[in-house]
Amino acid sequence: MTLAAGRLNRPITIQRRTAGADAYGQPSTTWETHVQTWADVRAPAGRAAAQAVTADRATSTTAYSMRIRYRTDITADMRVQLAGVVYDIAEVLLDLANREHTDLVCVAGRA
């Protein structure tokens, strides 16, 4: 069974962190495009929102699953941009059995 192209209906940009220097020669981190691809984006049931306590106050994050065609060059230190919103990649799940897709577990609200 192959991954249906019709389900991959949201364009996403996967970015990687690059090291550089600013105008004063100080180290700086920027983000550059690693790949632009299509994804099937879902908010998983039961895991859609998580509550955490940070610095004595409650924060909320939303987890999304972004399924793309099988790739092994995506890592958890990258991020995804979707419709102008940045999502941190929390986990990369490879379909090792069939090599048809890669699921990116992404979290909004931590940027």
Side-chain angles (χ1 to χ4, degrees), residues 14 16 34-35 68-78 89 92-104:
I14 299 172
R16 66 177 167 227
H34 177 66
V35 66
I68 60 174
R69 294 201 187 282
Y70 185 78
R71 302 184 67 102
T72 58
D73 61 336
I74 309 298
T75 63
D77 61 344
M78 295 179 177
I89 298 176
V92 179
L93 306 171
L94 298 174
D95 174 23
L96 295 174
N98 299 315
R99 296 179 184 218
E100 291 180 359
H101 63 268
T102 298
D103 288 322
L104 306 177

Side-chain angles (χ1 to χ4, degrees), residues 14-18 29-31 73-80 87-92 110:
I14 299 172
Q15 299 176 323
R16 66 177 167 227
R17 191 182 317 246
T18 59
T29 301
T30 58
W31 292 91
D73 61 336
I74 309 298
T75 63
D77 61 344
M78 295 179 177
R79 70 183 191 179
V80 173
Y87 299 87
D88 294 328
I89 298 176
E91 205 170 351
V92 179
R110 297 189 318 181

Side-chain angles (χ1 to χ4, degrees), residues 9-97:
N9 59 4
R10 304 291 302 269
I12 64 171
T13 301
I14 299 172
Q15 299 176 323
R16 66 177 167 227
R17 191 182 317 246
T18 59
D22 64 14
Y24 301 104
Q26 296 297 314
S28 69
T29 301
T30 58
W31 292 91
E32 70 179 16
T33 298
H34 177 66
V35 66
Q36 292 179 317
T37 190
W38 293 88
D40 176 16
V41 179
R42 301 180 204 186
R47 242 184 111 174
Q51 298 290 328
V53 176
T54 304
D56 294 330
R57 64 178 190 180
T59 61
S60 177
T61 60
T62 303
Y64 292 90
S65 174
M66 299 187 189
R67 179 167 285 184
I68 60 174
R69 294 201 187 282
Y70 185 78
R71 302 184 67 102
T72 58
D73 61 336
I74 309 298
T75 63
D77 61 344
M78 295 179 177
R79 70 183 191 179
V80 173
Q81 222 176 7
L82 168 66
V85 179
V86 174
Y87 299 87
D88 294 328
I89 298 176
E91 205 170 351
V92 179
L93 306 171
L94 298 174
D95 174 23
L96 295 174

